[in-house]
Structures are given as C-alpha cells and as structure tokens.
Amino acid sequence: MPQKYLKIDFHTHILPENIPDFEKKFGYGGFIKLQHNEKEADKMDMIKDGKNFRTIECNCYSPTKRIEENELTGVNVQVLSTVPVMFSYWAKPYDALEVSVFLNDHIADIVQQHPKKYIGLGTVPLQNIDYAIKELKRCVKELGLAGVQIGSHVNGTNLGEPVFEPFWKAVEELDTVVFIHPWDMDQGSRNSKYWFPWLIGMPTETTTSICSLMFSGIYDRYPNLKIVYAHGGGSFLGTLGRIIHGYECRPDLVACDTVNHPLKTLKKLYFDSLVHDEDALKLMISKIGTDRIVLGSDYPFPLGEQMPGQLVEGCDWISHEDKLKILSQNALKLFNLDASKFV
C-alpha cells in the first residue's frame, strides 16, 4: 500500500469570485474582472480590456471546490496566492495598493474560514516601495498571512536593483516568506507562437530574478531572506555551470556587486518541486539537497502537476525522510508552523 504523506502545496493560485470593476472605478484599463462564461455555468472568463484573457473553472475561485479536489489528490493544505496578472505593477501606485488590499483581505478571509486547509500569501504594489512595505507589514502583522508573492520584475526593473533594497530589508526584519513567480513575459513576434511565453519565457524570467538578487549582493546584505522561486527555479539550475564559469572568468563584469561566489549563495535559495521531469528533480536535489525544496503544483492551471507530489512520491531513490521534507516539512519550517496546526 502506498505511503501517505502530509502534503502542503506551496504553489497554488486563487481569485475572488467577485472582483470590483477597477477599470470603471479608476478610469483606465488593464485590470481584470470576471464574468460568467456563456457556455458553461461552472466557468468564468477573466476579462481584460474587453477581451477574454483566460477562462477559469470554479476551482480557481471556490474554496470549497478546492477542498473537494484536494481530498481526491491527497493534498492536505494549499498555500494560496493570487494569479500573477493581478499584480497590477503597471497601474498608478495608489490604485495598485487598493487592488492589493482587496486581494489580500480576500485570501486572509479564506484562511480564517478554513485554517486547517489554507495558508495565505499576499501581494504588494512594488511600483511604490513605501506602499509595498506598508502592505507587507499589514499582511503579516494584521492579516496573519505567511508572506507575499511577487513578480519576477517590476515594469522591466530587476528585483536586485537599489530601488527595492528597503523592501528586502523589511522582508528580513519581519522574518517572512517571499514567493517569486514569473510574469509579464516577452510575447513579441519571436515568442508569439507555440505558447513560448509560458514554455520558455517563464523559466527565463525566474532565472533572471535569481541572478539579479544573487549578483546585486541582496543575499550578502540580507542573509536570512526566505525567498522561494517557482517552477523549480526556472532554467537556473540547468545554466548554473555557465553562470559560475562567467563569475570566475569575468569577475570584472559578473562579480562587481557581490562578495560571495554563486555556490555560496546557492545554499540560501529555495525552489518548488514543479519541474515535470525526474532528471530535473535529480539535478535540483544534487545541487541543493532536499532541505530547500517545497511541493508546488501551480494548481489549478493545466501547466501544473495535476496530481501534486506525484513526481516526488514516485521516485524510489528519494528516501522516506526526504520525501517528508519536500512534501510538507520544509514549508512548515519556512512558515514557522507546526504540523499539528493542520491535523
């Protein structure tokens, strides 16, 4: 009989069922609103600037439906975060703050209603650092959220740039978690076909965010940061050898803002397990071990792992103890939580 594990799915997305018409309220476009799908009653369309951005099923906005599906897949707890298109970094700062407050209140309410089933991550308006820090503190200190999810860049500015320094300082002081998710990928002519922004662009975005934080010295100055990167760190581990070689052969270009070798900083990175491939999982574990990998499925979207944890559970070369770490214990440690909270 297969071994049963406590599973905490670190990487899941949720939307409120009812989203205000922010476009009408603020007087300009770009915001998402939901409307019922004309053909299927249990689906809704995400509308952006009058066009269907994506059609979602009810498991994207129904907490009870998610619990039903989790019981079927063996997931005990989901870590909730918004859908990245909701970041709204392009909006006017105060408007983005209002969107963030609305989304964060919604996630906090779900966690409060189902404390044994959900952990919450907020979102913050990073185009204004003062607003972002203010909302970060509210998320952690007032709403009881376990951290925040942020995008891989903010309007083309990498996360290691000096403008974000106060944010990272606040994150470390609060001893909270940041989940970095790729977003706003290049969708130009070369990437307009074959779902390239999602297949190629997302891994590249995540790699860029890792390298920006690594080489800017953010990890040097804030060594206790707890940052988790989506999709197994994107293409980072596959290009790590090249990154290290570049650091060593051209330190004048690569090592100018950090005092630490990439291998030293590597010991501080966390990744989710969403790599879709046993060899990729072997590479991850060979490079960082099993103490800094958390289960991630990208629920409820099709590019995710439809049976969360199946890849990890199916690897007979991963010990029972290490499977426990990946499937729940590492997440509990990051969040400073005890498993008894979810029993």
Side-chain angles (χ1 to χ4, degrees):
M1 185 173 180
Q3 175 73 50
K4 291 194 69 175
Y5 296 91
L6 175 68
K7 291 185 187 178
I8 299 177
D9 190 347
F10 193 98
H11 182 173
T12 82
H13 300 291
I14 193 167
L15 287 173
E17 184 173 358
N18 298 296
I19 300 176
D21 190 342
F22 289 119
E23 179 177 348
K24 183 177 180 180
K25 181 173 185 178
F26 299 141
Y28 56 98
F31 299 97
I32 293 289
K33 61 182 178 181
L34 297 181
Q35 68 180 31
H36 288 284
N37 185 274
E38 294 180 356
K39 297 181 179 179
E40 299 183 67
D42 61 344
K43 294 184 179 182
M44 298 186 80
D45 298 326
M46 298 173 65
I47 304 300
K48 180 180 178 182
D49 296 329
K51 298 179 181 179
N52 186 359
F53 175 80
R54 178 186 293 157
T55 297
I56 55 174
E57 298 184 12
C58 63
N59 58 6
C60 195
Y61 53 82
S62 169
T64 54
K65 182 63 175 178
R66 297 167 81 97
I67 291 172
E68 291 175 10
E69 294 191 350
N70 287 341
E71 290 176 351
L72 295 175
T73 60
V75 171
N76 303 89
V77 183
Q78 285 188 337
V79 180
L80 304 177
S81 57
T82 193
V83 178
V85 71
M86 302 299 292
F87 290 150
S88 304
Y89 295 150
W90 47 268
K92 296 176 183 178
Y94 193 80
D95 298 342
L97 175 60
E98 185 170 333
V99 173
S100 295
V101 167
F102 170 75
L103 294 171
N104 296 338
D105 287 349
H106 168 255
I107 287 180
D109 183 59
I110 292 175
V111 174
Q112 187 175 26
Q113 291 179 43
H114 307 278
K116 293 184 181 296
K117 297 296 184 181
Y118 297 116
I119 296 169
L121 297 178
T123 182
V124 294
L126 275 172
Q127 65 268 61
N128 182 291
I129 297 303
D130 290 339
Y131 288 166
I133 293 173
K134 176 183 177 181
E135 184 59 11
L136 171 69
K137 291 179 177 179
R138 190 182 79 94
C139 284
V140 175
K141 294 183 175 182
E142 297 180 26
L143 297 182
L145 297 179
V148 293
Q149 174 193 223
I150 67 172
S152 50
H153 68 91
V154 180
N155 301 324
T157 302
N158 285 329
L159 298 175
E161 291 302 309
V163 65
F164 300 116
E165 189 96 8
F167 174 76
W168 295 117
K169 182 175 186 292
V171 167
E172 186 181 64
E173 288 174 349
L174 288 166
D175 188 30
T176 196
V177 174
V178 172
F179 180 42
I180 294 182
H181 195 291
W183 92 297
D184 195 27
M185 300 78 69
D186 177 21
Q187 300 189 43
S189 58
R190 292 180 65 222
N191 291 320
S192 62
K193 296 174 68 176
Y194 312 124
W195 217 18
F196 275 3
W198 275 260
L199 301 183
I200 300 170
M202 279 193 163
T204 302
E205 276 294 328
T206 306
T207 303
T208 301
S209 66
I210 294 172
C211 290
S212 176
L213 292 171
M214 175 182 285
F215 291 129
S216 66
I218 290 295
Y219 280 103
D220 305 348
R221 295 185 289 281
Y222 309 104
N224 298 313
L225 286 173
K226 297 187 290 189
I227 305 174
V228 181
Y229 297 93
H231 310 143
S235 53
F236 174 74
L237 290 174
T239 52
L240 180 59
R242 183 178 181 86
I243 291 166
I244 290 171
H245 183 67
Y247 177 92
E248 293 174 344
C249 77
R250 289 303 305 265
D252 55 316
L253 297 177
V254 182
C256 43
D257 291 323
T258 180
V259 298
N260 287 320
H261 191 280
L263 287 178
K264 183 174 183 179
T265 305
L266 183 66
K267 297 176 182 178
K268 300 179 183 297
L269 308 185
Y270 293 83
F271 302 93
D272 74 16
S273 63
L274 187 59
V275 293
H276 303 286
D277 179 80
E278 187 172 340
D279 288 335
L281 185 61
K282 281 184 179 178
L283 174 64
M284 183 189 300
I285 291 176
S286 72
K287 295 298 183 183
I288 69 168
T290 56
D291 291 335
R292 285 172 288 117
I293 303 172
V294 296
L295 171 63
S297 75
D298 210 355
Y299 175 101
F301 298 124
L303 199 50
E305 187 177 33
Q306 302 307 303
M307 293 293 292
Q310 185 177 51
L311 176 60
V312 172
E313 289 180 286
C315 293
D316 56 11
W317 50 271
I318 303 178
S319 70
H320 170 67
E321 291 73 21
D322 285 337
K323 288 178 181 179
L324 285 173
K325 290 179 182 179
I326 295 170
L327 296 174
S328 63
Q329 290 178 352
N330 293 338
L332 290 170
K333 187 175 180 180
L334 274 170
F335 293 136
N336 299 317
L337 295 171
D338 190 271
S340 62
K341 174 180 171 63
F342 306 103
V343 175

